[in-house]
């Protein structure tokens, strides 16, 4: 609202300059008025580079343009206290204190909807994330992808998109066959057979546990079957059990997918074969040396990719093609995949798939999530997926709690390496970032309860003029006014870490205020104004935490 009023005021100044001939402006195509917050607080509340963008068309120095506009900007009837020119031609705006106070009423009136933006306009978006093979439990890397995918989906929903969260179950192909073989050999081992366990089979103790479970259900009956049948039974049982474990782990982590999509269903329904035939008909897939190849080089890939091998077996790429074509057939306007950073090389071929199937690559986004280094009190925690000795997501959540784990995973841009310190995540001090933010919500809840017990109530913003005036109070209000802008940027750029940064900044402003000023003062008017202020802060903290899938406790 404040930005809209400012732009309107500057727009009126431009019209006046055009009317008196001091500037030549196409009123039908007014220049865009960009407003930013100066990095240095002393430079005002907002700044625009409008004079610099107009200088060329006006054939005069930027500062001269600014000097023409300055006296035409209304500071009498507007929210502007004063205007100054800085540097080569920046125009800095200092707002009247009362211009900020309506923010408090807006926060409390909108409640859980405060900060919501609507640029999504109901467009259908699918966010596919985690999608780990059901061959073992989720590890901490999957946890980061789960937190990022879930937060991105919730952000987009808050920005007005119709969002579906989806998990693609890789329940077909070689990895499932290997899983079945791994369990089958451990099963034989349980029954006294000496075996040679291949290095490329799954090594973890969970494979032995699965073999024991299956032994309790089917016993030695499996060994009486042909080996291929026994392996198939082991594969199906193990994949189903692991998948149930994955769902339980994600649920405990606060992640709930709307749809679970089976890769095998693409083969069973004939969609893989149909997708291949469709692309053959378009001349995108061709035969060479008995194999079928996708012309991905036509779309910028470094080489063409095999879809069907010379022995007739399809590659993983074949089912991925069918799956992504099917996504758009379901009517999604935009598709977002969350992958591990090691899948970077897979992006060009999937872009090729999207374009070859008649869709724009602008409708397809891939979020690459970098690795997590797990630490304990600053020392690395050893992990090895090859030997099966790795820290699972469940172990992390059980030790640190869902909230701490999610916040820590979202503390950095997903494109950056992340150090996750288990001991830090458990601390009940301000060193722990999630505790630092949640404590603000709980502290305010405690103050509000005490105020209620004492019969005190918050005032409305129109009564707070002259009562809210300290630097610490104004900084909090200005930060809250920025919240919807932060949400919009986070949604447009698919960057949930912006919310964690914002919450830590707002929490820091509250701590600075609370350490210096008393809320429930003897002056009832000041107390009521400060109750209004902290109630708004609590609402914004709660809203931001909710977007990240993190609770806002009343007690800590």
């Amino acid at each position: 609202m404040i930005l809209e009023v400012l732009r309107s005021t500057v727009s009126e100044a431009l019209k006046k300059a055009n009317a008196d001939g001091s500037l030549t402006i196409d009123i039908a195509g007014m220049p865009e008025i960009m407003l930013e917050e100066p990095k240095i607080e002393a430079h005002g509340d907002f700044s625009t580079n409008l004079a610099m963008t107009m200088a060329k068309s006006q054939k005069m120095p930027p500062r001269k343009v600014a000097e023409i506009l300055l006296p035409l900007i209304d500071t009498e009837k507007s929210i502007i206290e004063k205007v100054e020119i800085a540097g080569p031609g920046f125009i800095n705006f200092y707002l009247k204190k009362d211009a900020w106070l309506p923010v408090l009423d807006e926060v409390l009136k909108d409640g859980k909807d405060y900060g919501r933006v609507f640029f999504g306009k109901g467009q259908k978006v699918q966010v596919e994330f985690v999608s780990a093979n059901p061959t073992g439990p989720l590890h901490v890397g999957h946890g980061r992808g789960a937190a990022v995918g879930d937060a991105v989906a919730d952000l987009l929903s808050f920005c007005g998109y119709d969002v579906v969260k989806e998990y693609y179950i890789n329940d077909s192909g070689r990895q499932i066959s290997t899983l079945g073989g791994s369990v089958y050999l451990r099963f034989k081992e349980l029954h006294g057979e000496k075996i040679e366990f291949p290095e490329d089979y799954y090594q973890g103790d969970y494979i032995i546990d699965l073999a024991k479970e299956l032994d309790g259900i089917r016993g030695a009956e499996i060994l009486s079957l042909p080996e291929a049948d026994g392996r198939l039974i082991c594969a199906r049982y193990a994949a189903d059990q692991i998948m149930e474990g994955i769902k339980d782990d994600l649920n405990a982590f606060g992640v709930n997918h709307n749809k679970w999509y089976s890769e095998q269903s693409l083969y069973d329904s004939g969609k893989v074969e149909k997708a291949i035939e469709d692309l053959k008909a378009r001349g995108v897939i061709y035969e060479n040396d008995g194999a079928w190849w996708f012309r991905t080089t036509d779309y910028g890939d470094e080489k063409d990719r095999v879809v069907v091998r010379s022995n007739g077996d399809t590659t993983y790429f074949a089912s991925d093609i069918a799956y992504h074509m099917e996504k758009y057939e379901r009517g999604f306007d935009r598709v977002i995949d969350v992958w591990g950073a090691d899948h970077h090389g897979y992006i060009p071929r999937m872009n090729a798939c999207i374009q070859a199937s008649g869709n724009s690559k602008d409708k397809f986004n891939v979020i690459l999530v970098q690795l997590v280094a797990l630490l304990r009190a600053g020392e690395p925690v050893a992990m090895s997926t090859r030997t099966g000795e790795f820290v699972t997501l469940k172990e992390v959540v059980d030790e640190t709690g869902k909230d701490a784990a999610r916040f820590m995973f979202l503390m950095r841009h997903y494109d950056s390496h992340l150090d996750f310190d288990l001991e830090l995540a458990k601390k009940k001090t301000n060193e722990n970032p999630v505790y630092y933010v949640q404590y603000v919500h709980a502290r305010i809840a405690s103050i509000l309860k005490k105020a209620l017990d004492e019969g005190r109530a918050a005032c409305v913003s129109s009564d707070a003029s002259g009562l809210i005036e300290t630097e610490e109070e104004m900084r909090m209000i200005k930060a809250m006014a920025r919240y919807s802008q932060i949400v919009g940027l986070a949604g447009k750029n698919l960057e949930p870490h912006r919310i964690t940064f914002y919450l830590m900044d707002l929490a820091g402003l509250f701590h600075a205020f609370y350490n210096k000023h008393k809320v429930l003062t003897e002056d009832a008017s000041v107390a009521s104004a400060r109750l209004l202020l902290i109630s708004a802060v609590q609402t914004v903290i709660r809203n931001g935490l909710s977007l990240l899938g993190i609770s806002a406790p009343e007690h800590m």
Side-chain angles (χ1 to χ4, degrees):
M1 186 65 174
I2 288 175
L3 291 176
E4 292 172 11
V5 173
L6 267 182
R7 287 192 181 98
S8 177
T9 302
V10 176
S11 180
E12 287 302 314
L14 288 170
K15 291 175 183 177
K16 290 175 187 176
N18 186 64
D20 67 18
S22 54
L23 296 175
T24 305
I25 301 165
D26 178 7
I27 298 299
M30 291 278 277
E32 185 177 6
I33 302 166
M34 300 293 294
L35 292 164
E36 294 184 347
E37 293 181 47
K39 293 180 180 179
I40 300 174
E41 192 175 29
H43 291 174
D45 296 306
F46 294 98
S47 179
T48 182
N49 64 348
L50 178 65
M52 285 175 275
T53 62
M54 292 180 62
K56 185 175 180 181
S57 65
Q58 301 304 310
K59 298 179 180 179
M60 61 179 72
R63 195 171 179 92
K64 178 63 176 175
V65 176
E67 288 170 352
I68 291 171
L69 286 173
L70 206 66
L72 301 177
I73 295 173
D74 184 3
T75 57
E76 290 294 320
K77 300 176 182 178
S78 74
I79 61 174
I80 301 169
E81 180 75 38
K82 65 176 180 175
V83 191
E84 291 180 352
I85 301 172
F90 287 102
I91 301 175
N92 293 340
F93 300 92
Y94 299 76
L95 304 191
K96 296 171 182 173
K97 185 191 69 177
D98 287 353
W100 296 101
L101 296 182
V103 169
L104 302 177
D105 283 339
E106 186 182 349
V107 172
L108 298 174
K109 175 176 66 71
D110 291 349
K112 65 181 182 181
D113 288 322
Y114 180 71
R116 189 182 291 276
V117 291
F118 299 95
F119 56 75
K121 299 178 181 178
Q123 291 182 73
K124 290 186 67 177
V125 178
Q126 184 226 41
V127 183
E128 183 222 322
F129 60 106
V130 185
S131 298
N133 295 340
T135 54
L138 300 177
H139 55 65
V140 290
H142 294 133
R144 190 180 190 191
V148 169
D150 202 44
V152 164
D154 287 347
L155 262 172
L156 291 174
S157 180
F158 201 66
C159 291
Y161 291 93
D162 179 7
V163 181
V164 170
K165 302 176 185 179
E166 189 155 312
Y167 188 117
Y168 181 55
I169 306 171
N170 299 108
D171 54 358
S172 178
R174 186 178 63 187
Q175 78 276 3
I176 297 299
S177 175
T178 302
L179 175 66
S182 302
V183 175
Y184 185 74
L185 291 184
R186 292 303 187 195
F187 192 91
K188 292 178 73 173
E189 199 172 49
L190 288 176
H191 286 267
E193 293 191 38
K194 288 189 175 182
I195 62 166
E196 289 287 334
F197 202 81
E199 285 190 5
D200 60 343
Y201 273 27
Y202 297 106
Q203 306 286 329
D205 289 343
Y206 69 95
I207 297 295
I208 299 173
D209 293 338
L210 286 166
K212 289 178 179 177
E213 289 173 16
L214 190 55
D215 186 37
I217 298 169
R218 302 289 292 265
E221 170 205 352
I222 290 176
L223 296 181
S224 67
L225 300 172
E227 183 170 326
D229 292 343
R231 284 173 174 259
L232 182 59
I233 290 171
C234 288
R236 287 176 175 168
Y237 177 80
D240 287 346
Q241 293 303 111
I242 290 171
M243 201 64 235
E244 286 305 308
I246 286 173
K247 289 180 179 180
D248 289 344
D249 291 350
L250 288 173
N251 184 59
F253 193 46
V255 174
N256 297 286
H257 288 85
N258 304 116
K259 186 173 181 64
W260 302 80
Y261 198 106
S262 162
E263 178 186 9
Q264 185 60 45
S265 73
L266 290 167
Y267 288 98
D268 295 342
S269 64
K271 288 180 179 177
V272 174
E273 184 179 357
K274 181 180 181 301
I276 292 171
E277 293 304 316
D278 285 350
L279 293 176
K280 283 181 183 178
R282 298 186 192 198
V284 178
I285 291 180
Y286 65 93
E287 187 179 11
N288 185 35
D289 292 333
W292 289 90
W293 299 70
F294 193 127
R295 298 183 190 276
T296 54
T297 51
D298 288 355
Y299 302 92
D301 198 6
E302 62 183 3
K303 62 181 180 180
D304 290 347
R305 307 290 176 174
V306 176
V307 177
V308 183
R309 297 186 179 94
S310 57
N311 64 1
D313 290 344
T314 54
T315 63
Y316 291 128
F317 187 32
S319 53
D320 283 341
I321 291 169
Y323 179 45
H324 282 78
M325 289 175 69
E326 196 271 349
K327 291 183 182 190
Y328 292 103
E329 289 170 5
R330 277 189 271 160
F332 289 112
D333 300 297
R334 187 178 179 190
V335 167
I336 299 169
D337 289 358
V338 181
W339 297 346
D342 56 338
H343 285 68
H344 181 270
Y346 210 72
I347 295 176
R349 74 187 73 174
M350 289 315 303
N351 275 329
C353 160
I354 301 302
Q355 294 175 80
S357 60
N359 293 289
S360 168
K361 68 176 181 179
D362 294 335
K363 296 169 66 176
F364 177 61
N365 299 99
V366 175
I367 291 173
L368 292 175
V369 180
Q370 292 292 334
L371 295 174
V372 179
L374 203 60
L375 309 176
R376 188 178 295 281
E379 294 299 318
V381 175
M383 293 186 288
S384 171
T385 54
R386 189 186 68 80
T387 63
E389 296 173 358
F390 54 90
V391 179
T392 65
L393 173 62
K394 183 180 188 304
E395 288 170 330
V396 171
V397 173
D398 285 349
E399 183 169 349
T400 67
K402 170 184 76 75
D403 289 345
R406 288 184 71 117
F407 201 93
M408 296 293 278
F409 281 132
L410 296 169
M411 275 285 294
R412 297 282 179 269
H413 193 293
Y414 44 74
D415 197 31
S416 301
H417 180 85
L418 176 70
D419 288 337
F420 187 123
D421 195 308
L422 292 163
E423 295 303 319
L424 176 62
K426 292 189 295 182
K427 282 188 175 181
K428 305 298 182 186
T429 69
N430 285 342
E431 292 177 78
N432 179 353
V434 69
Y435 183 91
Y436 185 71
V437 174
Q438 286 180 319
Y439 181 81
V440 172
H441 188 274
R443 169 55 64 191
I444 293 174
S446 175
I447 296 170
L448 294 178
K449 183 180 183 304
K450 185 178 180 183
L452 183 64
D453 292 343
E454 295 178 1
R456 301 183 187 230
C459 66
V460 294
S461 65
S462 57
D463 295 329
S465 181
L467 301 173
I468 292 179
E469 54 187 9
T470 69
E471 289 181 357
E472 292 78 16
E473 290 168 321
M474 293 308 300
R475 284 171 185 151
M476 283 192 289
I477 296 173
K478 291 175 182 181
M480 287 187 282
R482 287 197 301 272
Y483 181 60
S484 62
Q485 182 185 5
I486 298 296
V487 169
L489 287 170
K492 285 179 179 175
N493 296 307
L494 308 179
E495 293 176 338
H497 74 282
R498 290 177 182 265
I499 305 297
T500 59
F501 284 9
Y502 172 84
L503 289 174
M504 291 186 68
D505 285 344
L506 181 57
L509 293 174
F510 174 82
H511 285 296
F513 160 76
Y514 188 71
N515 290 335
K516 192 172 180 179
H517 304 285
K518 188 176 180 180
V519 176
L520 300 179
T521 64
E522 293 180 3
D523 187 323
S525 296
V526 171
S528 66
R530 289 180 176 171
L531 286 170
L532 171 71
L533 173 62
I534 67 169
S535 295
V537 172
Q538 185 190 44
T539 296
V540 176
I541 291 283
R542 183 169 61 245
N543 288 3
L545 288 172
S546 177
L547 273 180
L548 302 177
I550 296 169
S551 69
E554 299 282 321
H555 309 282
M556 290 183 73

